Amino acid sequence: MALGKIKADTLEHSTSGSVDTKFVVEGSAKAWMRYNQATPAVGDSLNNSSVTDVSTGRFTFNYSSSFGNANYANNGCAGYPGSNEKPLILGYCSDLNITTSATDFQTVYHENTATDANNVSTSTLGDLA
């Protein structure tokens, strides 16, 4: 059975008005993940082929579908829900791996000590290849 295609420039809802499909495509996260570094285990994700545990506090998010270039935007947070742990920082920087198919992330305490967080959330925005 062949699958059909629906093409539209605008989507319209009966009570909420309409939205330009270009806005939806360009403005949506193309990858996201909820990750427990301590286990390690992915709770849920989109466009995630796998996660590589590189070292304490550092992991690689491998994308199922590559981005068009490595100039995409990442954001996220990390923490220990329900505990009194110190604040954590989730980031990526120039010495970490950032390619069209993967991004390295690192979690550290505010004094720059690497640690595995049990609650990491990331999202990536950009154009897929």
Side-chain angles (χ1 to χ4, degrees):
M1 179 171 144
L3 298 176
K5 291 183 181 182
I6 297 174
K7 293 185 177 186
D9 295 328
T10 304
L11 299 176
E12 188 171 321
H13 188 274
S14 59
T15 59
S16 300
S18 62
V19 64
D20 183 344
T21 57
K22 184 177 178 184
F23 174 79
V24 174
V25 171
E26 291 181 358
S28 301
K30 303 306 185 309
W32 59 265
M33 176 176 59
R34 180 72 174 264
Y35 181 57
N36 182 333
Q37 286 178 283
T39 308
V42 174
D44 201 359
S45 66
L46 171 72
N47 194 16
N48 172 27
S49 63
S50 65
V51 177
T52 305
D53 184 0
V54 178
S55 61
T56 300
R58 187 170 171 177
F59 66 93
T60 303
F61 185 151
N62 300 295
Y63 304 116
S64 301
S65 297
S66 295
F67 284 83
N69 59 58
N71 296 318
Y72 47 81
N74 282 306
N75 59 65
C77 59
Y80 296 97
S83 72
N84 294 320
E85 288 285 336
K86 300 180 230 175
L88 292 174
I89 300 166
L90 171 69
Y92 65 102
C93 53
S94 60
D95 68 328
L96 300 177
N97 179 35
I98 301 171
T99 68
T100 59
S101 60
T103 300
D104 275 7
F105 288 92
Q106 187 169 26
T107 53
V108 296
Y109 288 118
H110 67 282
E111 74 273 3
N112 204 30
T113 304
T115 187
D116 286 339
N118 66 4
N119 184 9
V120 178
S121 296
T122 70
S123 63
T124 307
L125 296 98
D127 295 326
L128 294 176

